[in-house]
Coordinates of all heavy atoms in Angstrom, one line a residue:
P21 N -44.9 67.2 93.8 CA -45.9 67.1 92.6 C -45.1 66.8 91.3 O -45.5 66.1 90.4 CB -46.5 68.5 92.6 CG -46.5 69.0 94.0 CD -45.2 68.4 94.6
T22 N -43.9 67.4 91.1 CA -43.1 67.2 89.9 C -42.5 65.7 89.8 O -42.3 65.3 88.7 CB -41.9 68.1 89.9 OG1 -41.2 68.3 91.1 CG2 -42.4 69.6 89.5
D23 N -42.3 65.0 91.0 CA -42.1 63.7 91.0 C -43.2 63.0 90.3 O -42.8 61.9 89.4 CB -41.9 63.1 92.4 CG -40.8 63.8 93.2 OD1 -39.8 64.4 92.6 OD2 -40.8 63.7 94.5
V24 N -44.4 63.1 90.6 CA -45.5 62.4 90.1 C -45.7 62.8 88.6 O -46.0 61.9 87.8 CB -46.8 62.7 90.9 CG1 -48.0 62.1 90.2 CG2 -46.6 62.2 92.3
L25 N -45.6 64.1 88.3 CA -45.8 64.4 86.9 C -44.7 63.8 86.0 O -45.1 63.4 85.0 CB -45.7 66.0 86.9 CG -46.9 66.8 87.4 CD1 -46.7 68.3 87.4 CD2 -48.2 66.4 86.6
A26 N -43.5 63.9 86.4 CA -42.4 63.4 85.7 C -42.6 61.8 85.5 O -42.5 61.3 84.4 CB -41.1 63.6 86.3
G27 N -43.0 61.2 86.6 CA -43.1 59.7 86.6 C -44.3 59.3 85.6 O -44.2 58.4 84.8
A28 N -45.4 60.1 85.6 CA -46.5 59.8 84.8 C -46.2 59.9 83.3 O -46.5 59.3 82.5 CB -47.7 60.7 85.1
A29 N -45.4 61.1 83.0 CA -45.1 61.3 81.6 C -44.1 60.3 81.2 O -44.3 59.8 80.0 CB -44.3 62.7 81.5
L30 N -43.2 59.8 82.0 CA -42.3 58.7 81.5 C -42.9 57.4 81.4 O -42.7 56.8 80.4 CB -41.1 58.6 82.7 CG -40.1 59.7 82.7 CD1 -39.2 59.7 83.9 CD2 -39.3 59.8 81.4
G31 N -43.8 57.1 82.3 CA -44.6 55.9 82.1 C -45.5 55.8 80.9 O -45.5 54.8 80.1
I32 N -46.2 56.8 80.6 CA -47.0 57.0 79.3 C -46.0 56.9 78.2 O -46.3 56.2 77.2 CB -47.8 58.2 79.5 CG1 -48.9 58.1 80.5 CG2 -48.5 58.5 78.0 CD1 -49.6 59.4 80.7
G33 N -44.9 57.7 78.2 CA -44.2 57.7 77.1 C -43.5 56.2 76.8 O -43.5 55.8 75.6
I34 N -43.2 55.5 77.8 CA -42.6 54.2 77.6 C -43.5 53.2 76.9 O -43.3 52.5 75.9 CB -42.1 53.5 78.9 CG1 -40.9 54.3 79.4 CG2 -41.8 52.1 78.9 CD1 -40.5 53.9 80.9
T35 N -45.0 53.3 77.4 CA -45.9 52.5 76.6 C -46.2 52.9 75.3 O -46.4 52.1 74.4 CB -47.2 52.4 77.6 OG1 -46.8 52.0 78.9 CG2 -48.2 51.6 77.0
Y36 N -46.1 54.2 75.0 CA -46.4 54.7 73.8 C -45.4 54.2 72.8 O -45.7 53.8 71.7 CB -46.4 56.2 73.8 CG -46.8 56.8 72.4 CD1 -48.2 56.8 71.9 CD2 -45.8 57.3 71.6 CE1 -48.4 57.4 70.8 CE2 -46.1 57.9 70.3 CZ -47.4 57.9 69.9 OH -47.7 58.5 68.7
V37 N -44.1 54.2 73.2 CA -43.0 53.8 72.3 C -43.1 52.2 72.2 O -43.1 51.7 71.1 CB -41.7 54.0 72.8 CG1 -40.6 53.5 72.1 CG2 -41.4 55.7 72.8
M38 N -43.4 51.5 73.2 CA -43.5 50.1 73.1 C -44.7 49.6 72.3 O -44.6 48.4 71.8 CB -43.6 49.5 74.5 CG -42.3 49.6 75.4 SD -41.1 48.5 74.9 CE -41.7 46.9 75.4
S39 N -45.7 50.4 72.2 CA -46.8 50.0 71.4 C -46.7 50.1 70.0 O -47.6 49.8 69.2 CB -48.1 50.7 71.9 OG -48.0 52.1 71.6
A40 N -45.7 50.7 69.5 CA -45.5 50.8 68.0 C -45.4 49.4 67.4 O -44.9 48.3 68.1 CB -44.2 51.5 67.8
R41 N -46.1 49.2 66.3 CA -46.3 47.9 65.7 C -45.1 47.1 65.7 O -45.1 45.8 66.0 CB -46.9 48.1 64.4 CG -47.3 46.8 63.7 CD -47.9 47.0 62.3 NE -48.1 45.7 61.6 CZ -49.2 45.0 61.7 NH1 -50.2 45.4 62.5 NH2 -49.4 43.8 61.1
A42 N -44.0 47.5 65.1 CA -42.7 46.8 65.0 C -42.3 46.3 66.5 O -41.9 45.0 66.4 CB -41.7 47.5 64.4
I43 N -42.4 47.0 67.4 CA -41.9 46.6 68.7 C -43.0 45.8 69.5 O -42.7 44.7 70.0 CB -41.6 47.8 69.7 CG1 -40.5 48.7 69.0 CG2 -41.3 47.4 71.1 CD1 -40.3 50.0 69.8
R44 N -44.2 46.1 69.3 CA -45.3 45.4 69.9 C -45.5 43.9 69.5 O -45.5 43.0 70.3 CB -46.7 46.1 69.7 CG -47.9 45.5 70.4 CD -49.2 46.1 70.0 NE -49.5 45.7 68.6 CZ -49.7 46.4 67.6 NH1 -49.5 47.7 67.6 NH2 -50.1 45.9 66.4
T45 N -45.3 43.8 68.2 CA -45.6 42.4 67.6 C -44.4 41.5 68.0 O -44.5 40.3 68.4 CB -45.7 42.4 66.2 OG1 -44.6 43.1 65.5 CG2 -47.1 43.0 65.8
R46 N -43.2 42.1 68.0 CA -42.0 41.2 68.3 C -42.0 41.0 69.8 O -41.5 39.8 70.1 CB -40.7 42.1 67.9 CG -39.4 41.3 68.3 CD -38.3 42.0 67.5 NE -38.3 41.9 66.1 CZ -37.3 42.3 65.3 NH1 -36.2 42.9 65.7 NH2 -37.6 42.2 64.0
V47 N -42.3 41.9 70.6 CA -42.2 41.7 72.2 C -43.3 40.6 72.5 O -43.1 39.7 73.3 CB -42.4 43.0 72.9 CG1 -42.6 42.6 74.4 CG2 -41.2 43.8 72.7
A48 N -44.5 40.7 72.0 CA -45.6 40.0 72.3 C -45.7 38.6 71.7 O -46.3 37.7 72.4 CB -47.0 40.7 72.1
A49 N -45.1 38.4 70.6 CA -45.2 37.1 69.9 C -44.8 35.9 70.8 O -45.5 34.9 70.9 CB -44.4 37.1 68.6
P50 N -43.7 35.9 71.4 CA -43.2 34.8 72.2 C -44.2 34.5 73.3 O -44.5 33.3 73.7 CB -41.9 35.1 72.8 CG -41.4 36.2 71.9 CD -42.5 36.9 71.5
M51 N -44.7 35.5 74.0 CA -45.6 35.4 75.1 C -46.9 34.7 74.6 O -47.6 33.8 75.3 CB -45.9 36.6 75.9 CG -44.7 37.3 76.6 SD -44.3 36.2 78.0 CE -42.8 35.3 77.3
L52 N -47.5 35.2 73.6 CA -48.7 34.7 73.0 C -48.6 33.2 72.6 O -49.5 32.4 72.7 CB -49.2 35.6 71.9 CG -49.5 37.0 72.3 CD1 -50.1 37.8 71.0 CD2 -50.5 37.0 73.4
A53 N -47.5 32.9 71.9 CA -47.1 31.5 71.5 C -46.9 30.6 72.7 O -47.6 29.6 72.7 CB -45.9 31.6 70.7
F54 N -46.4 31.1 73.8 CA -46.3 30.3 75.0 C -47.6 30.1 75.7 O -47.9 29.0 76.2 CB -45.3 31.0 75.9 CG -45.0 30.2 77.2 CD1 -44.1 29.2 77.2 CD2 -45.7 30.5 78.4 CE1 -43.8 28.5 78.3 CE2 -45.5 29.7 79.5 CZ -44.4 28.7 79.6
A55 N -48.5 31.2 75.7 CA -49.8 31.0 76.2 C -50.7 30.0 75.5 O -51.4 29.3 76.1 CB -50.5 32.4 76.2
Q56 N -50.5 30.0 74.2 CA -51.3 29.0 73.4 C -50.7 27.5 73.6 O -51.5 26.6 73.6 CB -51.3 29.3 72.0 CG -52.1 28.5 71.0 CD -52.2 29.1 69.6 OE1 -51.4 30.0 69.3 NE2 -53.1 28.6 68.9
R57 N -49.5 27.4 73.8 CA -48.9 26.1 73.8 C -48.9 25.5 75.2 O -49.2 24.3 75.4 CB -47.4 26.1 73.3 CG -46.8 24.7 73.2 CD -45.5 24.7 72.5 NE -44.9 23.3 72.4 CZ -43.8 23.2 71.8 NH1 -43.0 24.2 71.2 NH2 -43.3 21.9 71.7
Y58 N -48.7 26.3 76.2 CA -48.8 25.8 77.6 C -49.6 26.8 78.5 O -49.2 27.5 79.3 CB -47.3 25.9 78.2 CG -46.3 25.2 77.4 CD1 -45.4 25.8 76.6 CD2 -46.2 23.7 77.5 CE1 -44.4 25.2 75.9 CE2 -45.2 23.1 76.7 CZ -44.4 23.8 76.0 OH -43.4 23.1 75.3
P59 N -50.9 26.7 78.2 CA -51.8 27.6 78.9 C -51.8 27.5 80.5 O -51.9 28.4 81.2 CB -53.2 27.2 78.4 CG -53.1 25.9 77.8 CD -51.7 25.7 77.4
G60 N -51.7 26.2 81.0 CA -51.6 26.1 82.4 C -50.5 26.7 83.1 O -50.6 27.5 84.1
V61 N -49.3 26.6 82.5 CA -48.2 27.3 83.0 C -48.2 28.7 82.9 O -47.9 29.5 83.8 CB -46.9 26.7 82.4 CG1 -45.6 27.4 82.9 CG2 -46.7 25.2 82.6
F62 N -48.7 29.1 81.6 CA -48.8 30.5 81.4 C -49.7 31.3 82.4 O -49.3 32.4 83.0 CB -49.3 30.8 80.0 CG -49.5 32.3 79.7 CD1 -48.4 33.1 79.3 CD2 -50.8 32.9 79.7 CE1 -48.6 34.4 79.0 CE2 -51.0 34.1 79.6 CZ -50.0 34.9 79.1
Y63 N -50.9 30.8 82.6 CA -51.9 31.5 83.5 C -51.5 31.4 85.0 O -51.7 32.3 85.7 CB -53.2 30.9 83.3 CG -53.8 31.5 82.0 CD1 -54.0 30.6 80.9 CD2 -54.2 32.8 81.7 CE1 -54.6 31.0 79.7 CE2 -54.7 33.2 80.6 CZ -54.8 32.4 79.5 OH -55.4 32.8 78.4
G64 N -50.7 30.3 85.3 CA -50.2 30.3 86.6 C -49.2 31.2 86.9 O -49.2 32.1 87.9
A65 N -48.3 31.5 86.0 CA -47.2 32.5 86.1 C -47.9 33.9 85.9 O -47.4 34.8 86.6 CB -46.2 32.3 84.9
A66 N -48.9 34.0 85.1 CA -49.6 35.4 84.9 C -50.1 35.7 86.3 O -50.2 36.9 86.6 CB -50.6 35.3 83.9
F67 N -50.7 34.8 87.0 CA -51.3 35.1 88.3 C -50.2 35.5 89.3 O -50.5 36.6 90.0 CB -52.1 33.8 89.0 CG -52.5 34.0 90.3 CD1 -53.7 34.7 90.6 CD2 -51.7 33.5 91.4 CE1 -54.1 34.8 91.8 CE2 -52.2 33.7 92.7 CZ -53.3 34.4 93.0
V68 N -49.2 34.9 89.3 CA -48.0 35.3 90.2 C -47.6 36.7 89.9 O -47.4 37.6 90.8 CB -46.9 34.3 90.2 CG1 -45.7 34.8 91.0 CG2 -47.3 33.0 90.8

């Protein structure tokens, strides 16, 4: 049980930190730009 509890807490914590505006916008910007410029390649890679 403690394996799952610790894993859940760590996973939630990682996303919470990554979702901070300064981190979120910097990490997501290249992906969103790529999706807009090369939608075919992006959605193919997203499927995989």
Side-chain angles (χ1 to χ4, degrees):
T22 48
D23 298 339
V24 174
L25 288 173
L30 288 169
I32 290 171
I34 289 170
T35 302
Y36 183 78
V37 171
M38 291 286 290
S39 66
R41 181 181 177 85
I43 300 175
R44 186 188 73 241
T45 54
R46 179 167 295 186
V47 171
M51 291 296 99
L52 297 183
F54 185 82
Q56 186 172 11
R57 186 170 184 179
Y58 305 105
V61 177
F62 175 82
Y63 285 110
F67 173 80
V68 174

